[in-house]
Amino acid sequence: MKKIYLGLLVMSASTFQSQTFPNMKTPVAEKQEHIREIHGDKVNDPYYWMIDYFKKGKDSTKVVDYLKAENTYWKGMMKDTEPFREKLFQEMKARIKEKDESVPVFRNGYYYYSRTETGKQYFKYCRKKGSLTAPEEVLLDVDKMAEGHPYYSAAGFSISPDNTKMIYGVDDVSRRQYKLFLKDLSTGEITDLGIKNTTGSATWANDNKTIFYTSKNPETLLTEKIFRHTLGTDSGKDILVYEEKDKTNYISVGKTKNNKFILIDSRATTSSETRYLDANDSNGNFKIFQPRINNVLYDVTSLEDKFLVTTNKDALNFKVVETPLDKTGVENWKDFIPHRKDVLMEDVTAFKNYLIFSERQNGLSQLVIYDRKTGKKEFLKFDEPTYTVYSLDNPEYNTDNFRFGYTSMITPSSQYEQDLKTGKRVLLKQQEVLGGYNKDNYTTERLFATAKDGTKIPISIVYKKGFKKDGNNPLLLYAYGSYGSSMDASFSSTRLSLLDRGFAYAIAHIRGGQEMGRQWYEDGKMMKKKNTFTDFIDSGEYLVKEKYTSPKHLYAQGGSAGGLLMGAIANMSPNLWNGVISQVPFVDVVNTMLDTSIPLTTNEYDEWGNPNNREAYFYMKSYSPYENVEKKNYPNLLVTTGLHDSQVQYFEPAKWVAKLRDMKTDKNVLLLKTDMEYGHGGASGRFDYLKDVALVYAFMFKLEGITK
């Protein structure tokens, strides 16, 4: 069957596929017996050997050879799309304003901003003293710093209280292990502090010579220790101020907005603990704010006369309590904003005269202005059916100007500043889409699918006007659904290359996220994880039933934990999708969670469970994509990974693809692309990532018969 849509020739997937993908010989991975035995369950893992590069590094050539063979295969299978991919790349790049500048942020007497230049992949970090008309200081020229590096990330720019020095981190491997550097802003001199394996940032004490930083275990990448370093001293003699013994916790160090306290935060999925230190007493001892309590999370905000604490203690959707500066234990906590069953309290932004509460209600984000003198509340209102609003960087405490961001699936990212006293709102900047963009040419809707258990699943969708709901049009459905991370509706200029070629794009706000409140997350983790997968499948079936698309034209996409989702839905409902894009996917759940030498494994026990527990083991095994590959038909699959991925190691998708190749009974396409120089986030340059987007789009366009 053929049809014409928006002037493009579109053929049915089955007809097109057999005519256009070359008949190449697929890579075949070697099998080696490896028995996993636990809880009386014996499993042979024939591709376990692929962990070899992770264990041995460059001494392991067999794994690298296999990954290269897969790369050769996908390149051959997609070779005819090279001109189209280049066209897509240039098309998406052309929408980006190459010479651009961020909105300057005022902090401690200076305006800070970054700017980009035409043809450059990175940026320059700059400041101006006192006024935007003052001379520019280029603090870091990251374009120049990155020269000669396939991957380069500069992060954590932290200025000393007296504005004369800066600490920053550099990762040139893509493992999220940063070295710390000091720049003297008076002389321009840069010093390697000899501090490595950090998160990339440091926190200044108020004496302008002491910093605190978080150190990672170089093997597991766990954040384990907080050190104090005094400038001018040997980093090998840095003082350990805190060590986290619980391997399920992440730790970090930061400073309160009013610059009064240094905070150390230790956090797992279900509990947290904060330590605090007077920022004027750099050599003092940190005090425990409130010892950790099982299943209790809390965040601390410092005001002049008290602390505010955002917590879920006796409050599923969180509430805000207050406590004296010298009596911080839970017995002193008094309700400030009580718990509400229908509102999720997410964050507090503090100013001298106002508080801004970031909340979530009915699946939508909202901002509430609270006058500290009168107690009056005001909601910021917006008129689109689905959108995202959020607090921006507001580092100044003594100001009545509040900056926030707003976006929707048809409204480009916008930055506003509102005078909290007068209510006057000014648009500071809206993402400029070069080549012309008219939001009136597109439609966004908020839909609700019904899950098998009766739960209503929100879906945000966008398409170009003229899109017919007759079941014949392609649709890409995206979701994440883990860690309580909410995937809100937002604008993407690259997505226009899909919409303008007849695709609809939808986000399924499935359980495991936190869009509908904390219970939404609780119902999509641990022993309820399968709700995440069935919610996504039910969302896809709803879109088919309502004739937004059909299984011949329905595509699914997710990355990392969302890649696990892709693997699960490919196993559970393979006939619903024409294509699945699984990026840096966490698909070997059982084996990874059993191996504590793999980075971040122990941090994840509260999300997935600990498979050393029998019940958790068998539940994980029942949905883990790698464990559940069967002899049956699968949809077309594009899988991506990075050899240096620090979050989901390369061998998970590699093993999964090898097993799929061995067992699947269809002739559909299965491609594995490995970035040999990058990690979890892909390329570091601001344009390079577009090549990966172009490949994803070209994969779907090829299946749809869209050729231009």
Side-chain angles (χ1 to χ4, degrees):
M1 181 186 74
K2 297 183 180 181
K3 67 187 181 73
I4 300 293
Y5 184 84
L6 297 178
L8 302 172
L9 178 63
V10 181
M11 304 171 67
S12 72
S14 58
T15 303
F16 178 78
Q17 180 185 315
S18 62
Q19 292 179 352
T20 60
F21 280 102
N23 186 22
M24 291 182 63
K25 185 177 180 181
T26 58
V28 177
E30 178 183 329
K31 293 183 181 181
Q32 297 179 12
E33 184 177 280
H34 177 87
I35 302 298
R36 179 189 76 211
E37 187 169 4
I38 185 172
H39 304 306
D41 186 45
K42 186 180 291 187
V43 177
N44 180 30
D45 183 0
Y47 304 109
Y48 180 84
W49 62 268
M50 289 189 184
I51 201 172
D52 218 30
Y53 183 86
F54 170 74
K55 298 288 188 182
K56 299 178 181 178
K58 294 180 180 179
D59 293 333
S60 175
T61 58
K62 186 189 296 185
V63 179
V64 173
D65 288 344
Y66 171 70
L67 296 176
K68 287 181 177 178
E70 287 284 1
N71 278 347
T72 299
Y73 178 72
W74 82 255
K75 289 176 183 177
M77 294 291 281
M78 296 292 288
K79 186 170 181 57
D80 65 326
T81 68
E82 286 180 1
F84 193 15
R85 289 187 346 241
E86 178 62 22
K87 178 184 177 181
L88 289 168
F89 171 75
Q90 295 297 340
E91 178 182 296
M92 292 184 288
K93 183 181 176 184
R95 295 194 191 103
I96 298 172
K97 188 177 182 181
E98 294 198 33
K99 185 177 176 63
D100 204 359
E101 186 175 302
S102 67
V103 176
V105 174
F106 189 73
R107 181 187 295 111
N108 194 25
Y110 284 80
Y111 286 94
Y112 290 88
Y113 59 96
S114 61
R115 59 179 177 84
T116 55
E117 296 182 345
T118 301
K120 299 290 187 179
Q121 286 271 23
Y122 295 89
F123 61 93
K124 291 164 178 59
Y125 184 58
C126 311
R127 73 177 181 180
K128 293 181 179 180
K129 186 175 182 179
S131 167
L132 291 175
T133 60
E136 178 184 79
E137 292 180 63
V138 179
L139 304 183
L140 286 181
D141 185 343
V142 183
D143 288 308
K144 186 174 182 180
M145 294 161 64
E147 289 178 359
H149 295 278
Y151 179 93
Y152 196 87
S153 173
F157 311 136
S158 182
I159 308 295
S160 61
D162 64 4
N163 295 312
T164 65
K165 296 175 282 291
M166 177 172 69
I167 300 289
Y168 65 94
V170 170
D171 170 20
D172 56 11
V173 178
S174 189
R175 289 283 287 174
R176 301 187 185 183
Q177 295 169 285
Y178 288 83
K179 301 175 184 177
L180 293 184
F181 293 83
L182 168 72
K183 182 171 184 178
D184 186 315
L185 301 181
S186 302
T187 66
E189 180 182 4
I190 293 176
T191 303
D192 183 342
L193 294 176
I195 301 171
K196 58 183 181 179
N197 293 323
T198 79
T199 56
S201 64
T203 298
W204 290 92
N206 288 343
D207 62 5
N208 298 294
K209 66 179 183 180
T210 305
I211 61 169
F212 297 88
Y213 63 90
T214 307
S215 176
K216 288 186 172 185
N217 182 304
E219 302 300 325
T220 65
L221 303 187
L222 296 176
T223 49
E224 292 182 337
K225 299 175 181 178
I226 307 288
F227 285 96
R228 180 176 66 226
H229 173 77
T230 303
L231 299 186
T233 66
D234 180 1
S235 62
K237 297 180 180 179
D238 287 352
I239 305 300
L240 177 67
V241 297
Y242 179 67
E243 181 174 6
E244 179 56 63
K245 301 294 187 180
D246 188 338
K247 302 304 181 185
T248 67
N249 280 41
Y250 295 92
I251 61 172
S252 61
V253 61
K255 200 174 191 178
T256 59
K257 185 175 173 178
N258 61 9
N259 295 313
K260 285 191 172 186
F261 299 100
I262 308 290
L263 302 181
I264 291 176
D265 186 63
S266 178
R267 182 169 299 265
T269 305
T270 58
S271 67
S272 65
E273 183 176 78
T274 296
R275 285 168 167 76
Y276 66 109
L277 172 71
D278 187 325
N280 292 317
D281 183 17
S282 59
N283 292 315
N285 295 318
F286 282 84
K287 300 177 183 177
I288 296 181
F289 191 91
Q290 162 59 43
R292 65 193 69 182
I293 304 172
N294 192 35
N295 294 319
V296 172
L297 294 162
Y298 70 89
D299 288 294
V300 176
T301 301
S302 170
L303 304 180
E304 302 88 348
D305 56 344
K306 59 188 172 186
F307 289 109
L308 295 182
V309 183
T310 307
T311 181
N312 66 342
K313 186 180 187 304
D314 303 320
L316 177 65
N317 273 336
F318 292 80
K319 62 182 178 180
V320 180
V321 300
E322 58 182 322
T323 192
L325 293 175
D326 58 347
K327 296 178 180 178
T328 60
V330 69
E331 66 276 7
N332 302 296
W333 292 4
K334 178 182 176 183
D335 278 7
F336 186 80
I337 301 293
H339 176 253
R340 293 155 291 171
K341 290 183 178 180
D342 61 337
V343 178
L344 175 68
M345 176 64 72
E346 293 191 310
D347 191 29
V348 179
T349 302
F351 297 95
K352 184 177 181 179
N353 299 315
Y354 295 90
L355 300 172
I356 309 296
F357 299 116
S358 298
E359 302 179 345
R360 187 175 293 277
Q361 188 171 23
N362 297 323
L364 294 175
S365 52
Q366 62 187 27
L367 294 174
V368 183
I369 301 169
Y370 177 90
D371 189 318
R372 292 181 60 187
K373 293 179 181 178
T374 66
K376 180 184 176 182
K377 291 183 182 180
E378 177 190 350
F379 289 78
L380 298 185
K381 296 181 180 179
F382 308 95
D383 58 5
E384 292 186 290
T386 180
Y387 59 84
T388 306
V389 62
Y390 50 94
S391 176
L392 289 171
D393 186 18
N394 288 276
E396 281 294 305
Y397 185 73
N398 297 311
T399 181
D400 290 337
N401 293 322
F402 168 61
R403 289 186 176 182
F404 66 92
Y406 177 87
T407 183
S408 77
M409 298 186 88
I410 60 173
T411 301
S413 179
S414 307
Q415 298 181 45
Y416 291 90
E417 184 171 85
Q418 181 154 329
D419 187 317
L420 297 172
K421 187 176 294 184
T422 66
K424 183 180 178 181
R425 184 183 301 178
V426 178
L427 175 63
L428 300 176
K429 183 176 182 178
Q430 185 172 80
Q431 175 188 349
E432 188 175 346
V433 182
L434 300 186
Y437 168 73
N438 185 349
K439 65 182 292 184
D440 293 335
N441 293 334
Y442 302 86
T443 298
T444 182
E445 293 182 80
R446 192 168 188 237
L447 312 171
F448 286 89
T450 302
K452 294 290 191 296
D453 63 2
T455 302
K456 297 293 184 182
I457 311 299
I459 301 172
S460 299
I461 189 169
V462 62
Y463 47 83
K464 194 168 186 177
K465 287 183 177 176
F467 181 91
K468 293 183 179 179
K469 300 172 187 176
D470 59 8
N472 293 318
N473 295 305
L475 185 150
L476 176 59
L477 181 62
Y478 170 84
Y480 186 71
S482 290
Y483 304 107
S485 294
S486 298
M487 296 293 110
D488 291 313
S490 62
F491 180 81
S492 167
S493 67
T494 60
R495 191 186 300 144
L496 298 175
S497 292
L498 274 184
L499 305 184
D500 290 349
R501 289 175 172 84
F503 266 75
Y505 177 86
I507 303 171
H509 305 289
I510 55 182
R511 282 175 283 188
Q514 209 161 240
E515 288 91 336
M516 300 293 283
R518 185 69 176 181
Q519 192 64 51
W520 204 248
Y521 169 49
E522 297 291 339
D523 287 344
K525 62 183 285 232
M526 298 286 281
M527 304 302 285
K528 296 181 179 180
K529 188 64 209 170
K530 289 182 184 178
N531 283 337
T532 301
F533 316 138
T534 55
D535 282 0
F536 190 82
I537 292 169
D538 291 338
S539 297
E541 290 177 344
Y542 171 83
L543 292 168
V544 169
K545 180 173 71 74
E546 295 299 314
K547 297 191 175 180
Y548 284 87
T549 189
S550 64
K552 289 193 295 186
H553 302 291
L554 179 57
Y555 299 85
Q557 181 183 24
S560 195
L564 160 65
L565 169 66
M566 295 299 102
I569 60 105
N571 280 333
M572 295 168 67
S573 188
N575 297 323
L576 184 58
W577 327 96
N578 188 42
V580 172
I581 298 98
S582 186
Q583 297 164 299
V584 291
F586 174 47
V587 284
D588 192 10
V589 182
V590 176
N591 289 315
T592 290
M593 296 307 295
L594 280 169
D595 190 345
T596 57
S597 72
I598 294 174
L600 311 181
T601 287
T602 55
N603 282 134
E604 306 289 302
Y605 286 158
D606 289 337
E607 181 71 21
W608 316 104
N610 184 343
N612 291 295
N613 173 286
R614 179 183 177 86
E615 185 182 15
Y617 169 84
F618 282 105
Y619 187 75
M620 284 182 194
K621 187 184 176 189
S622 72
Y623 70 73
S624 176
Y626 180 64
E627 302 277 340
N628 289 282
V629 174
E630 298 175 326
K631 286 189 177 297
K632 63 183 180 185
N633 290 352
Y634 280 86
N636 297 286
L637 280 155
L638 171 61
V639 183
T640 67
T641 186
L643 184 60
H644 302 292
D645 196 327
S646 60
Q647 310 301 109
V648 180
Q649 309 301 313
Y650 69 89
F651 50 80
E652 292 201 39
K655 289 171 62 178
W656 180 47
V657 167
K659 191 172 183 181
L660 280 165
R661 287 210 188 286
D662 182 53
M663 299 191 71
K664 73 189 193 80
T665 55
D666 58 82
K667 294 183 179 180
N668 288 333
V669 178
L670 171 58
L671 306 178
L672 172 64
K673 176 184 183 293
T674 304
D675 281 319
M676 305 303 285
E677 294 176 327
Y678 305 140
H680 199 63
S684 55
R686 65 182 176 127
F687 301 125
D688 284 342
Y689 81 97
L690 293 174
K691 296 176 182 177
D692 293 329
V693 178
L695 174 62
V696 170
Y697 287 4
F699 176 73
M700 293 186 292
F701 291 156
K702 190 174 177 69
L703 292 169
E704 284 294 316
I706 298 173
T707 58
K708 62 182 180 178

